[in-house]
Amino acid sequence: MISREKAKKNICRIIDEESSHIIKIGEDILRMPEKGFQEFKTSAYVQECFGKEGIPFRSGLAVTGVRADLGGGSKGPRIALMGELDALSVPEHPFADVETGAAHACGHNAQLSGMLGAAIGLKRSGVLEHLAGSISFMAVPAEELNDMNYRLDLRKKRKISFMSGKQEFIKIGCFDDIDMAIMIHGSEGRGAGVSESYNGFLFKVSRFTGRAAHSAASPHLGVNALQAASLALSALNAQNETYLDEERARIHSIFEIPSAAVNVVPAGVVMETQVRASNVESILGASKKADRALKAGALALGAKVAIQTIPGYMPTIQNKGLIEIYRQNVIPFIPGQKFYFNPPKASSTDMGDVSQIMPAIHPYMGGWKGSPHGRNFEVTDKNLAYVVPAKVLALCAIDLLWDKAGQA
């Protein structure tokens, strides 16, 4: 039987030999950005990659999701190595889709190249026979919670039940046989690390209804839904000083004005709001304050408001044992750089839902510059962004499943 270190070196050698191919995967996906639950081209591309490696897979999971499985030499735990299929709406990004405005301004293309690269290394290395357990490779849709009307329509048509890919994977049973889950998120700089936790949130769709009238000749006959929504936004902002620091509350909104014309009193406005906080109790408390503010804006103008509250994501629990395995495996690939243990983040991920039901981690890897979700977020080191995550995911799987899966 080969040693664990020899198995690891063999996998890294194979991934290095395939580095140009792995980088091409990341760059190809960069140039085919698609929004959540609409990642049909990206899903087909991932399926093609699995097919070329002879790795059996299932597709059409949660609309566009893909899951492939590799078994070890003996029974044991099953580990999920994950990547996300979707892009954001950032029309000004240099690689944005000219029609949809979708862009990989959050690095999900690198998550997929890393996940697929790990699959290539594990499959070709022959190491699987030495592992006690199995590995699932998941390409999951719709992590970025946007295009809510599209998702609500999918739910109305009973194509989904929840608004994000991992939530839907949980619902349809894709995690039923999974014991732990790992994914790596891209980050600016050249280091690596992990944040202590991420916020959870609720999503609100508030429909303000007023009455149309001529904006100049007879504004007194109208009820301005935009002004009502604006007052509601001011009331939401006024609540900010009421939250405790440890709640890390973030309340943010956007407006949509159907059929807007400057000479017509707006009769309808849709307001989308995310209510984030560090724990469930704080999320629910902030949600009540938000409802109060939204109703107050409508009341002040004599408008009406219908508030639809939709489950967002659960707060993320980072598993300490998995963090240490990740840290040990990533350090050799970031010489001269620190491994960062960052404080809790106010942002959110549906990996939080996964982390509530099994050990999971959502660490990060450098190789990028710019602001995530911004037009300037781009790869600066293709090896660090695309290839190193493939190695680290594979090495973490080996550590967990080696020696009768003792660490797992």
Side-chain angles (χ1 to χ4, degrees):
M1 180 176 179
I2 65 171
S3 68
R4 184 191 314 194
E5 289 310 309
K6 187 172 181 180
K8 285 184 164 188
K9 288 179 181 178
N10 192 27
I11 279 190
C12 288
R13 176 185 58 79
I14 291 169
I15 291 175
D16 279 334
E17 289 172 353
E18 291 298 316
S19 60
S20 60
H21 173 50
I22 294 168
I23 290 170
K24 184 178 183 298
I25 291 172
E27 293 288 289
D28 285 349
I29 295 173
L30 173 68
R31 289 165 172 80
M32 60 173 79
E34 298 170 294
K35 295 181 181 181
F37 293 121
Q38 303 172 64
E39 314 98 328
F40 297 103
K41 291 184 293 185
T42 310
S43 177
Y45 185 94
V46 170
Q47 294 171 52
E48 182 182 352
C49 291
F50 283 133
K52 287 180 178 178
E53 293 299 316
I55 301 175
F57 64 86
R58 290 179 286 155
S59 61
L61 305 171
V63 184
T64 55
V66 185
R67 171 177 159 171
D69 298 284
L70 289 175
S74 58
K75 291 183 179 180
R78 183 182 291 274
I79 301 166
L81 304 181
M82 304 172 68
E84 295 162 347
L85 290 162
D86 62 324
L88 286 154
S89 181
V90 186
E92 62 271 28
H93 193 277
F95 292 103
D97 185 285
V98 294
E99 294 183 1
T100 68
H104 278 293
C106 201
H108 293 187
N109 56 311
Q111 294 175 12
L112 293 172
S113 63
M115 182 267 291
L116 289 165
I120 290 170
L122 287 162
K123 176 69 162 51
R124 295 187 189 180
S125 66
V127 72
L128 291 167
E129 64 179 285
H130 303 288
L131 304 182
S134 53
I135 304 165
S136 294
F137 305 90
M138 293 185 177
V140 187
E143 188 273 334
E144 304 290 354
L145 197 60
N146 47 35
D147 281 353
M148 186 56 67
N149 286 334
Y150 179 83
R151 300 185 191 204
L152 289 172
D153 186 57
L154 285 180
R155 190 169 72 170
K156 185 177 181 181
K157 295 175 180 177
R158 298 188 176 181
K159 293 184 177 180
I160 60 173
S161 298
F162 292 91
M163 297 295 109
S164 86
K166 295 185 195 66
Q167 292 175 333
E168 194 66 12
F169 263 42
I170 292 170
K171 186 258 180 183
I172 65 176
C174 281
F175 282 103
D176 284 358
D177 59 348
I178 302 297
D179 295 293
M180 59 198 68
I182 303 173
M183 62 176 293
I184 299 174
H185 201 290
S187 180
E188 62 271 30
R190 297 190 54 79
V194 63
S195 295
E196 182 180 333
S197 63
Y198 291 83
N199 272 0
F201 74 94
L202 290 171
F203 195 98
K204 294 181 181 290
V205 179
S206 305
R207 293 176 171 83
F208 290 83
T209 304
R211 184 169 60 246
H214 195 291
S215 298
S218 54
H220 58 288
L221 299 178
V223 175
N224 195 314
L226 177 59
Q227 295 284 23
S230 297
L231 281 175
L233 181 63
S234 295
L236 284 171
N237 291 337
Q239 300 280 5
N240 287 336
E241 64 186 27
T242 71
Y243 301 115
L244 298 172
D245 290 345
E246 57 267 27
E247 292 182 301
R248 300 193 305 278
R250 298 287 190 276
I251 320 297
H252 43 98
S253 306
I254 58 171
F255 289 162
E256 176 187 339
I257 309 173
S259 305
V262 71
N263 61 344
V264 178
V265 173
V269 170
V270 178
M271 185 176 180
E272 295 184 358
T273 305
Q274 285 187 327
V275 179
R276 304 184 196 251
S278 60
N279 59 75
V280 172
E281 183 180 1
S282 295
I283 295 168
L284 296 176
S287 177
K288 289 180 180 179
K289 291 181 180 180
D291 285 352
R292 192 172 63 203
L294 294 164
K295 292 173 183 177
L299 179 64
L301 269 293
K304 297 179 180 179
V305 62
I307 306 168
Q308 183 179 13
T309 300
I310 300 164
Y313 304 158
M314 291 290 286
T316 303
I317 303 168
Q318 304 272 34
N319 181 268
K320 293 181 180 179
L322 291 176
I323 289 172
E324 181 57 22
I325 290 172
Y326 175 74
R327 187 190 70 83
Q328 291 175 4
N329 280 298
V330 79
I331 282 177
F333 300 106
I334 53 169
Q337 302 292 322
K338 285 185 177 181
F339 185 89
Y340 294 94
F341 291 95
N342 287 332
K345 280 198 172 184
S347 55
S348 308
T349 168
D350 60 354
M351 194 66 166
D353 294 75
V354 178
S355 77
Q356 294 284 342
I357 61 173
M358 68 182 63
I361 53 167
H362 185 272
Y364 65 87
M365 178 86 70
W368 300 75
K369 71 173 183 179
S371 175
H373 292 207
R375 68 171 305 278
N376 62 343
F377 193 64
E378 61 182 22
V379 171
T380 55
D381 185 330
K382 293 180 181 180
N383 182 68
L384 187 57
Y386 296 137
V387 180
V388 172
K391 294 178 181 179
V392 174
L393 286 172
L395 298 183
C396 287
I398 289 176
D399 278 343
L400 286 163
L401 300 181
W402 199 267
D403 194 17
K404 298 181 181 180
Q407 290 206 61

